[in-house]
Amino acid sequence: MYPDFLCIGAQRAGSTWLDTNLRKHPNLWLPPIKEIHYFNYKETNHLQNRLKKIMSSHWRDIIRQQLSLSVREKDFERVLWNFKYFSGGRTDEWYHSLFEPQPHQIAGEVTPDYSALSAETVEHIHSLMPNAKIILMLRDPIRRAWSYVFSHTLRGQNLEEIPSEVLIQHCTKRYSFLRGNYARTIEVWRSFYPRQQFFVGFFEEIKTDPEALLARICQFLNVSASAEYLANIERKKVYSFGNTANVPMEVEIALAKLHYDDIVYLKDRYGDVCQSWLNHAESLIELTSV
């Protein structure tokens, strides 16, 4: 079967926290591995991406971890799933075969890179699963961009030794911009999926009221948000909130200018949280006129 719901991102906006908590729900089923990456790899060269993964130490660690966990827990269904996932050809039929919920469960997938898919690929997804529900988690795009670059590109480096212009280049390059261009993501996905099948949540809610956020998501997915379930959720973000260091002022200003129109679009559409993003961006841009 194809999944009943997709969490399409955004990167560094709470998708790992969400994945962790959705797995705790007895009526939800997610694949043993977070981020299948099927549809974004479908847009690029499959062989090239598979070779990169096979050669990467990170990917080999994932394989070892999955197989070790399966054997240790004597979970032979998981062993079979891993074999199918790691050895199968990347086709719609292969993707379809990965989802194995129980009769009382609905299936979903969390892959943040889906936020940057082309309209053509989203149209293909809609042709396969027109009734799927879409979840998009958003975060202040200024802080999201820096969090991604700090965690993935600058990991372990001394920021004081990197010129500001180099940091800005990392934060504003096309790859990062696409994943923070929320207006584009919303317009592309909403052109195929109507409002009632599209949920928007906010990273900030994980801090302020995670139970209420998950209750809304459960309602959206039409599963119960029982007191027992909400009592056992992960209340902190899986990756520490404090792991991004302070954003250099020059980088913050550049990101505020880059994402300003996007933030205005979001404020007009969603208000509240996005208003604080707009206040943040405008305060930074004003510094350049002083």
Side-chain angles (χ1 to χ4, degrees), residues 142-143 146-147 171 244-253 255:
I142 298 170
R143 295 190 170 98
W146 177 250
S147 176
C171 290
T244 56
N246 292 325
V247 190
M249 183 61 67
E250 297 88 345
V251 176
E252 268 200 304
I253 291 171
L255 287 170

Side-chain angles (χ1 to χ4, degrees), residues 41 44-56 59 63 83-91 94:
Y41 284 179
T44 58
N45 185 301
H46 280 302
L47 179 59
Q48 180 182 353
N49 279 289
R50 292 187 74 184
L51 287 175
K52 283 183 179 179
K53 279 201 164 188
I54 291 169
M55 296 302 294
S56 72
W59 190 244
I63 296 174
F83 178 79
K84 179 165 48 180
Y85 177 72
F86 290 114
S87 64
R90 270 44 181 174
T91 64
W94 168 84

Side-chain angles (χ1 to χ4, degrees), residues 5-233:
F5 66 92
L6 298 173
C7 176
I8 63 171
Q11 281 183 331
R12 308 300 297 179
S15 64
T16 299
W17 176 88
L18 180 60
D19 180 87
T20 297
N21 284 306
L22 293 181
R23 291 177 186 277
K24 295 175 181 287
H25 198 290
N27 299 123
L28 300 178
W29 185 95
L30 290 94
I33 294 177
K34 176 180 178 276
E35 302 189 26
I36 299 298
H37 284 291
Y38 173 56
F39 293 106
N40 55 301
Y41 284 179
K42 195 175 180 68
E43 289 191 339
T44 58
N45 185 301
H46 280 302
L47 179 59
Q48 180 182 353
N49 279 289
R50 292 187 74 184
L51 287 175
K52 283 183 179 179
K53 279 201 164 188
I54 291 169
M55 296 302 294
S56 72
S57 59
H58 174 67
W59 190 244
R60 291 195 297 272
D61 287 344
I62 290 176
I63 296 174
R64 282 195 294 267
Q65 180 187 43
Q66 287 294 319
L67 294 178
S68 173
L69 182 63
S70 302
V71 173
R72 187 169 65 249
E73 296 183 354
K74 298 182 179 179
D75 186 347
F76 297 110
E77 288 187 4
R78 189 182 184 120
V79 171
L80 293 174
W81 188 94
N82 280 307
F83 178 79
K84 179 165 48 180
Y85 177 72
F86 290 114
S87 64
R90 270 44 181 174
T91 64
D92 289 345
E93 291 73 21
W94 168 84
Y95 180 73
H96 180 278
S97 74
L98 297 179
F99 296 88
E100 304 171 339
Q102 296 299 311
H104 65 283
Q105 295 176 315
I106 64 172
E109 183 204 348
V110 177
T111 298
D113 276 349
Y114 290 172
S115 65
L117 293 175
S118 68
E120 291 76 16
T121 300
V122 177
E123 182 178 24
H124 178 67
I125 293 172
H126 185 264
S127 73
L128 298 176
M129 47 189 111
N131 298 318
K133 294 185 176 182
I134 311 302
I135 299 172
L136 176 64
M137 295 293 296
L138 301 181
R139 179 182 186 177
D140 181 336
I142 298 170
R143 295 190 170 98
R144 188 218 66 83
W146 177 250
S147 176
Y148 175 78
V149 170
F150 181 83
S151 300
H152 292 268
T153 307
L154 306 175
R155 184 181 299 168
Q157 298 186 48
N158 185 347
L159 297 183
E160 295 180 358
E161 298 177 356
I162 305 175
S164 294
E165 57 269 23
V166 174
L167 295 176
I168 291 171
Q169 287 174 3
H170 281 306
C171 290
T172 59
K173 62 184 178 181
R174 184 175 182 274
Y175 179 88
S176 180
F177 176 69
L178 272 179
R179 281 144 185 77
N181 188 351
Y182 304 148
R184 175 197 172 278
T185 296
I186 292 168
E187 293 296 333
V188 167
W189 282 85
R190 281 293 310 277
S191 65
F192 299 99
Y193 288 93
R195 180 182 56 80
Q196 62 268 25
Q197 289 175 239
F198 198 86
F199 178 95
V200 174
F202 297 94
F203 178 88
E204 289 79 1
E205 294 179 272
I206 300 173
K207 283 183 171 181
T208 59
D209 199 346
E211 293 90 350
L213 172 60
L214 277 174
R216 287 171 52 222
I217 292 173
C218 286
Q219 183 180 27
F220 174 68
L221 297 176
N222 199 28
V223 296
S224 171
S226 67
E228 181 181 4
Y229 168 64
L230 294 177
N232 291 301
I233 65 170

